Amino acid sequence: MTNGVDVRTAAAEFDRTAVADAESAAEDERKQVLSQFPLEQWPQLPLERYALGQSAPPESGPTYCRLMEFGTPHLGSIKGGSAAKHIMYHHSGEWRLAAPLRGMDPQEAWAELRGQFVRAFDAVGAGDFEALDDLEMLRYGPTLVTKSLAAYFPQHFLPIYAAEHLRTFVTLLGGEARAGVPAARTNRQLRELVRTREEFEGWAGQEVMRFLYKHFNPRQRTIWKVAPGERGRLWEECRAGGFICVGWDELGDLGQYQSDTELKQTLDAHWTRSSGGSLTLARRLLAFRDLEAGDRVVANRGTDEVLATGRVDGSYRYDPDRPEFHHVVPVTWDTSHAQKLSKPQHGWRSTFAKVDPSLFARFTAHHAGSGSVPDTGQAQTGTPVAPPEDVQVVLDALERKGQVILHGPPGTGKTGSRSPPPSPWTAARACSVPTRANVPRRRPRCCTATVSAWSPSIPPTATRTSSRASSRT
């Protein structure tokens, strides 16, 4: 039992026919891997055909690592995170190598790494799975290695690759998950557990994978707000076409970037005197690229209108045939959640913004036409109680400046002040001294307050000590 959902019950209710298209697409992608990188050619595979970050002739096709990370999403995702998952890769004019390979010439390092891949494939082909534990270099790229084994030997591995996720699912099915063992071994352990469960009898690996992620997803996925153009001008096109799109077309395909710093360099080259080259924007563009099927998104117009909520149902693509906004992610939209908000969301002025899960829950609880407007502020209960005068000083400054900095000796309640104060203030959340976590961001001014005491019987003494211009946001 997990999150109140029983595995057996959930499996009985799972519609296996609904994943048939995805299963077919995964098999097509697997055949593509086998066609472009046949097992028998691995002993002679050149480094130029393996590693990310190299400039190669267009006719050569994607490198092995690019195909596995970005070109085979239905086969199971390993997108996002560090390029270190590939064990060796080229970046910013130099080779980045995993620890056992450092100090070697790139070609020498590749010969060692390629040799371990070949030994792994040979071992699995011979049924000697324990031999995988001895391949030390492959431990530095567990997701890539496990996906490679599943692509070439789907009868022996499930299309689940992250070690943490594998351990979570092993525990879910009654097994004992062990940290520190290769992901491929944990994958095999999970596969054996699945085979012992009668509810999974006759299920394909893709069905098992999609079932587990649908009902027991261990991913901590961010909910993103994405604006469909300025003031939502592209919304009707996005709604009708079932996608969300963003600009920055000059960047080209986002799949070519190995890190946020590399993308930032390109942003800086195109927008030298604007915020376009910020590292934050680079990270958000890569987060947009790495959205996965099942992720939740919100389309907005301005800071106070939700156009729809959506569920991602495919992978990012770069579409240069569009007249503008070439970066596209397919989405199934639900316009029943369209609504005007009672309070503006100040962070929504940019194209991308994270959405708190509790706020998203309020969006999805609303239905267009109901006449209700969701309260996006903090809930109030009971009769309002006036805060103490010294706390009101801070609240007044907060209203003017947009933020406060709390400082004081240890144990005086700087952290605890974000919680509702003790009686008799429990009826008035607003009496707590707000922290930056629940304050709309404005810049560039702030107020500094000193917290000198906090206890159930003594209110916090918050004294306004200064009010000055500040660059902190």
Side-chain angles (χ1 to χ4, degrees), residues 62 66 70-71 79 247-259 262-263 266 270 285-286 288-290 315-320 326-328:
R66 177 167 297 283
F70 301 109
K79 286 197 305 183
W248 296 280
D249 298 339
E250 295 87 341
L251 299 173
D253 191 338
L254 296 177
Q256 68 185 296
Y257 298 101
Q258 312 308 317
S259 67
E262 181 182 355
L263 177 54
T266 307
H270 286 285
L285 282 166
L286 292 184
F288 178 82
R289 177 198 72 183
D290 294 337
S315 298
Y316 161 85
R317 70 179 187 273
Y318 178 70
D319 187 356
H326 297 168
H327 307 292
V328 179

Side-chain angles (χ1 to χ4, degrees), residues 14-171:
F14 183 70
D15 183 5
R16 295 167 59 189
T17 63
V19 303
D21 289 344
E23 188 174 3
S24 176
E27 181 59 20
D28 289 342
E29 291 172 356
R30 195 182 77 83
K31 291 177 180 177
Q32 181 184 5
V33 174
L34 271 60
S35 172
Q36 297 188 25
F37 300 92
L39 268 180
E40 61 271 16
Q41 293 183 9
W42 264 87
Q44 293 81 38
L45 186 69
L47 177 58
E48 293 74 17
R49 294 285 289 127
Y50 171 80
L52 289 173
Q54 306 171 93
S55 54
E59 63 272 10
S60 66
T63 63
Y64 180 75
C65 290
R66 177 167 297 283
L67 181 63
M68 296 301 279
E69 182 168 4
F70 301 109
T72 53
H74 295 93
L75 201 53
S77 176
I78 61 170
K79 286 197 305 183
S82 169
K85 69 169 74 73
H86 299 291
I87 310 177
M88 66 180 298
Y89 62 100
H90 195 258
H91 176 67
S92 298
E94 63 181 15
W95 284 97
R96 310 289 177 88
L97 309 177
L101 301 172
R102 288 174 190 159
M104 294 185 183
D105 174 81
Q107 291 295 337
E108 179 187 1
W110 168 235
E112 292 287 335
L113 176 58
R114 180 181 59 198
Q116 294 219 347
F117 268 107
V118 171
R119 288 170 59 190
F121 297 148
D122 289 345
V124 173
D128 185 8
F129 299 102
E130 292 185 0
L132 297 175
D133 296 351
D134 300 329
L135 304 175
E136 187 65 26
M137 291 180 191
L138 300 189
R139 288 188 176 222
Y140 287 83
T143 55
L144 174 68
V145 171
T146 308
K147 183 170 183 176
S148 298
L149 294 173
Y152 288 107
F153 305 97
Q155 71 275 29
H156 296 308
F157 295 91
L158 292 171
I160 300 170
Y161 314 121
E164 182 181 351
H165 297 179
L166 288 164
R167 290 194 294 268
T168 298
F169 295 144
V170 164
T171 302

Side-chain angles (χ1 to χ4, degrees), residues 259-329:
S259 67
D260 50 12
T261 53
E262 181 182 355
L263 177 54
K264 180 185 183 302
Q265 292 172 356
T266 307
L267 284 163
D268 288 338
H270 286 285
W271 294 277
T272 56
R273 291 183 175 84
S274 73
S275 60
S278 74
L279 187 59
T280 297
L281 176 58
R283 289 171 176 166
R284 292 183 175 183
L285 282 166
L286 292 184
F288 178 82
R289 177 198 72 183
D290 294 337
L291 286 170
E292 298 180 358
D295 286 347
R296 304 308 303 270
V297 292
V298 175
N300 70 298
R301 179 185 286 118
T303 61
D304 62 354
E305 184 177 1
V306 172
L307 296 168
T309 63
R311 188 183 298 274
V312 175
D313 61 6
S315 298
Y316 161 85
R317 70 179 187 273
Y318 178 70
D319 187 356
D321 293 331
R322 288 177 50 78
E324 60 176 339
F325 284 54
H326 297 168
H327 307 292
V328 179
V329 170

Side-chain angles (χ1 to χ4, degrees), residues 208 353 382:
V208 172

